[in-house]
Amino acid sequence: MSSSLTPAPPRSVTRRLAPAFALAAVALLGEVLPGRAGQVALYPLLGAFPGLAVAGWLLARASAPARAIVGLALAPLVASIAGWAVMSAGLDAALAARLVGWLGWTLWALRSARPFPAATNDADALPGSRVVAVLVAVLIVAFAIPYALTPWMLEKSDAWYHAGATYQILERGMPPEDPRFAGLPVNYVWFFNLFVALLASVRDSDPFVFMALLNLADLAALAGVAFLLGWTLWRTRPAATGAAFLTCLGFYGLVSVLWPVTLARVALQGHPLPVFHWSSWQIMMDLSPPFNILESFVDKFVTGTSLNYAWVLMALGLWAVVRLALGPSRGAWCVLVLCSAGMQLWHGVVGLSAVPVLVCALLTALLARRWANWLPAPTRLASIGIAAALGFVVTLPYTLAISRGWSAERSGLHVAPFHFDVAFAVTAVASSALALALATRPLAAVVRERRGAAALLAIFAFGMLAFAIVVQLPNYNHAKFPFEAFVPLAALGGAGFWPWLDATRRRFGGWAVAVVWLALAAPIVLTLRAFAVDPEQHTYVPLNPRPGEGALYQWIRERTPRDMVFVDARFRDLVMVRGRRQMYLGSPSGPERAAFPLQQVIERRAVMADLYGPARQLDADADALTRLGRPACVIVRLEDVPEGANARASLAARPDRFVPIYERDGFVLYAVRMLKVSRAPEERRS
């Protein structure tokens, strides 16, 4: 038996409870500290307590580092599920957040007060690792720097939409409607927004800050889960730490060695050398290998998105699969159920790919037992399959509800489910090339030593890689698949990470190892630096308001009904975040981006074009807004020339349909008179 199973001396109750009381003190400070410091301190309320409670009770026989990693990884999922249940019972978000958080803390403290039994399986005896702790600390500091340098990093890209959806939950409840398209239920996962809304509700805080904190927590959780997965696979500290480092640094690892190929290809084609975007987010494209499609590890951890947490849940689910393949574990079984459900709740693209591929991997392993009877026993494979299927089925109503808008009949989109594109195939393979290379010898050892759990993970990894190459999704969402294949490959290749570096040092010297580390870190450092200094932050409209604009949004928040719908020229979506209200059409995109119903998109574009253009059909425009069955308002900004001037004169001339309710600093708001108007056929059908 491994020495790692030697029981540690029992600790006193005070020492066992010290972490719980320390984090409780931090969370209480979050209630009183001003600004962002208070938000940072408040994060453990939902970002730690619920998950640590679940891990403490489910994995009592696991080591303390294993419980901490699983608990922190599960916390947002458990908090969002519990918060949904409490809010569905009628409690407001702030009360639900406090109830879920402090109940989680109480359960965690109660379990910690009792001694934890010693691990009876070497796979559960995860040791601590200062090396991984340093890796996590360095990554968190590096990824936090852009957030600290510019508020643009908090609000850019997907984060803006998610803030709007978060405010919809806070202002109007669940399930949220799309903040950019009034009357349309969100055709996207929204448990991420619910988690952020719960935290933001406690002190009416900035949701962008909590999205950033979740990103940093997910980065730490991914490293920790990779360490745990590597240990469970190989049961050696070097292999476990290697898996953590490879997972965090190896996606598109060493691609910098291919930059000369890109330059040579351009020169041979007779084109001028490309401009390297040292100070722009476009550096992600420059850092991609030749003939590849943009994939970036950094981007998904500095943008407000639910994708990175779904990746964490997938990695944690794979740990549960490996643990169950090694032997029965009720705790790991429950974790797999939670992860399977959580991937659906937080990002269906991950759940709808990882779970089916896992089921296929289980069936493949079952069939392969005819030739390799050392693979996991049928009962273990069945147990894994039941857990994954249970989590998937329980969340199926939610998945169907948010997927309904993507039907070809409503959206007009027709995307073939299968495809083969050479460039994307190269992308999928190149992104995992380093992990594949380092996994070669460990995979040979898997077969030689008959390691059934590792073989099952390998089957999943190569199945996921094939899935990434041939399956196509709308809006290029299949670009998310390569990282899903990379994670298990990195866990397998982690066993070869340190031996590779050691062989490099022996053959070429210490300078070569330093070059390898530099090549692994350079893409991350260059990308983070480019984000932090990107000049787009100086022209980003939400951060550069014109005089009086802040007062306008404050007036909207405080003086208009929560269900009021706003129309703004040029498809502006500022009101959905700054004013916390829904837009009539706050995006120039069509069904391809958000599954907006095609016929309604056409109608709403026509209404806006007339309102801010010739204004020849004001009665029809007002009727279209009235059909929403909710208060509606048209914003006229005098800066919109000629749209603003025409709209102001035209609407002012029709007080029977448009009533001025606000006029200040070049902004005029016209409320639409609510008349009884029959709904259009297409709206009745929707």
Side-chain angles (χ1 to χ4, degrees):
M1 182 176 291
S2 169
S3 60
S4 62
L5 294 181
T6 303
R11 298 192 303 168
S12 66
V13 175
T14 303
R15 290 188 62 189
R16 291 198 299 271
L17 287 174
F21 281 102
L23 270 185
V26 171
L28 289 172
L29 282 175
E31 296 274 6
V32 296
L33 286 177
R36 292 182 180 176
Q39 290 188 256
V40 173
L42 189 64
Y43 184 81
L45 181 69
L46 298 180
F49 296 162
L52 291 171
V54 169
W57 288 96
L58 290 182
L59 302 172
R61 291 190 176 277
S63 65
R67 290 195 304 272
I69 290 170
V70 174
L72 293 175
L74 283 178
L77 171 63
V78 176
S80 61
I81 293 175
W84 168 80
V86 173
M87 288 182 67
S88 297
L91 275 68
D92 66 41
L95 183 57
R98 291 185 173 97
L99 179 62
V100 169
W102 289 112
L103 178 60
W105 181 87
T106 302
L107 293 174
W108 176 35
L110 287 174
R111 185 62 194 85
S112 299
R114 299 166 52 190
F116 286 96
T120 56
N121 190 312
D122 198 34
D124 298 324
L126 177 74
S129 173
R130 293 181 181 178
V131 175
V132 174
V134 170
L135 170 67
V136 169
V138 170
L139 286 173
I140 288 178
V141 170
F143 277 70
I145 288 174
Y147 288 131
L149 292 179
T150 169
W152 175 70
M153 284 301 302
L154 293 171
E155 298 187 3
K156 73 178 188 70
S157 190
D158 291 353
W160 186 257
Y161 160 78
H162 285 298
T166 296
Y167 282 129
Q168 279 298 301
I169 293 175
L170 290 174
E171 296 289 326
R172 304 186 65 236
M174 305 179 299
E177 290 188 358
D178 196 301
R180 303 159 300 179
F181 202 97
L184 179 71
V186 165
N187 291 306
Y188 194 72
V189 285
W190 50 267
F191 265 63
F192 165 62
N193 306 105
L194 175 59
F195 174 74
V196 176
L198 287 166
L199 283 169
S201 69
V202 176
R203 295 176 48 191
D204 191 20
S205 303
D206 183 356
F208 291 109
V209 174
F210 286 120
M211 284 188 247
L213 291 173
L214 179 61
N215 282 341
L216 299 178
D218 290 345
L219 190 64
L222 182 66
V225 172
F227 176 57
L228 177 61
L229 178 56
W231 170 265
T232 308
L233 273 177
W234 306 110
R235 247 68 60 80
T236 69
R237 195 189 299 260
T241 57
F245 275 80
L246 187 56
T247 299
C248 295
L249 302 177
F251 191 61
Y252 265 149
L254 303 180
V255 297
S256 55
V257 300
L258 298 175
W259 293 343
V261 179
T262 301
L263 298 178
R265 177 168 62 90
V266 171
L268 290 173
Q269 292 174 344
H271 298 304
L273 292 179
V275 176
F276 199 86
H277 300 88
W278 294 103
S279 302
S280 167
W281 64 267
Q282 297 182 67
I283 196 173
M284 294 188 295
M285 292 179 278
D286 300 327
L287 294 173
S288 297
F291 311 109
N292 274 225
I293 295 166
L294 174 64
E295 291 278 353
S296 174
F297 170 77
V298 176
D299 179 43
K300 300 309 178 186
F301 288 90
V302 291
T303 299
T305 175
S306 58
L307 178 61
N308 52 46
Y309 184 62
W311 282 342
V312 170
L313 291 177
M314 185 201 72
L316 184 61
L318 292 178
W319 164 77
V321 168
V322 171
R323 177 61 187 84
L324 290 170
L326 293 171
S329 169
R330 292 181 181 178
W333 194 87
C334 293
V335 168
L336 181 55
V337 173
L338 283 171
C339 290
S340 178
M343 286 185 282
Q344 297 294 103
L345 296 175
W346 278 67
H347 206 295
V349 168
V350 179
L352 291 170
S353 54
V355 174
V357 171
L358 174 59
V359 171
C360 291
L362 295 170
L363 293 174
T364 301
L366 184 62
L367 294 174
R369 279 185 53 81
R370 302 172 104 187
W371 303 277
N373 58 8
W374 47 270
L375 288 170
T379 53
R380 293 183 184 177
L381 296 175
S383 175
I384 295 169
I386 291 171
L390 179 59
F392 188 90
V393 170
V394 166
T395 55
L396 199 56
Y398 166 86
T399 303
L400 293 175
I402 63 174
S403 303
R404 193 169 294 121
W406 290 99
S407 67
E409 179 184 355
R410 285 174 58 85
S411 67
L413 296 175
H414 299 273
V415 179
F418 300 102
H419 76 136
F420 181 79
D421 179 77
V422 174
F424 190 79
V426 172
T427 296
V429 175
S431 60
S432 298
L434 180 60
L436 280 165
L438 294 179
T440 303
R441 289 187 177 180
L443 284 174
V446 165
V447 177
R448 185 172 59 252
E449 299 170 11
R450 299 190 170 188
R451 294 174 174 261
L456 178 60
L457 185 67
I459 294 171
F460 172 87
F462 287 104
M464 192 69 239
L465 189 60
F467 187 94
I469 292 173
V470 302
V471 174
Q472 179 175 241
L473 294 179
N475 198 27
Y476 217 75
N477 273 298
H478 49 283
K480 300 173 175 65
F481 295 152
F483 191 79
E484 296 177 43
F486 168 75
V487 169
L489 288 171
L492 294 164
F497 184 76
W498 299 115
W500 168 58
L501 289 179
D502 188 54
T504 301
R505 180 188 57 80
R506 291 197 309 269
R507 184 171 182 179
F508 301 104
W511 67 270
V513 176
V515 169
V516 169
W517 282 114
L518 180 63
L520 290 173
I524 295 177
V525 173
L526 290 175
T527 304
L528 292 174
R529 185 260 176 196
F531 274 132
V533 300
D534 194 315
E536 187 175 326
Q537 61 188 287
H538 303 301
T539 57
Y540 183 60
V541 174
L543 295 179
N544 296 277
R546 54 161 292 177
E549 197 166 3
L552 167 69
Y553 300 135
Q554 182 178 357
W555 188 90
I556 289 173
R557 290 196 304 271
E558 297 175 355
R559 302 290 296 277
T560 64
R562 291 188 173 189
D563 63 344
M564 180 168 264
V565 177
F566 285 82
V567 188
D568 204 351
R570 303 179 186 176
F571 305 105
R572 291 186 182 93
D573 59 2
L574 296 167
V575 172
M576 78 175 188
V577 174
R578 300 293 190 243
R580 307 185 185 184
R581 298 293 183 265
Q582 262 186 307
M583 308 304 303
Y584 180 64
L585 184 56
S587 171
S589 301
E592 74 284 353
R593 294 289 295 177
F596 299 151
L598 181 59
Q599 292 302 317
Q600 291 190 40
V601 169
I602 295 171
E603 177 188 334
R604 296 189 185 198
R605 285 177 178 173
V607 169
M608 293 179 66
D610 187 63
L611 281 173
Y612 297 104
R616 296 189 184 119
Q617 302 180 52
L618 290 181
D619 284 310
D621 299 338
D623 289 348
L625 292 168
T626 303
R627 279 196 293 269
L628 294 171
R630 292 159 50 185
C633 183
V634 179
I635 300 177
V636 177
R637 302 167 183 259
L638 299 189
E639 66 192 76
D640 294 333
V641 178
E643 294 96 330
N646 290 346
R648 184 182 185 187
S650 302
L651 298 180
R654 290 298 307 273
D656 58 319
R657 302 306 305 266
F658 299 94
V659 182
I661 58 174
Y662 181 96
E663 184 169 1
R664 192 184 308 165
D665 302 315
F667 302 96
V668 186
L669 271 58
Y670 291 92
V672 181
R673 287 193 182 274
M674 297 294 291
L675 303 178
K676 291 186 177 180
V677 179
S678 62
R679 300 181 67 187
E682 61 269 20
E683 290 185 335
R684 288 197 296 268
R685 288 197 299 270
S686 66

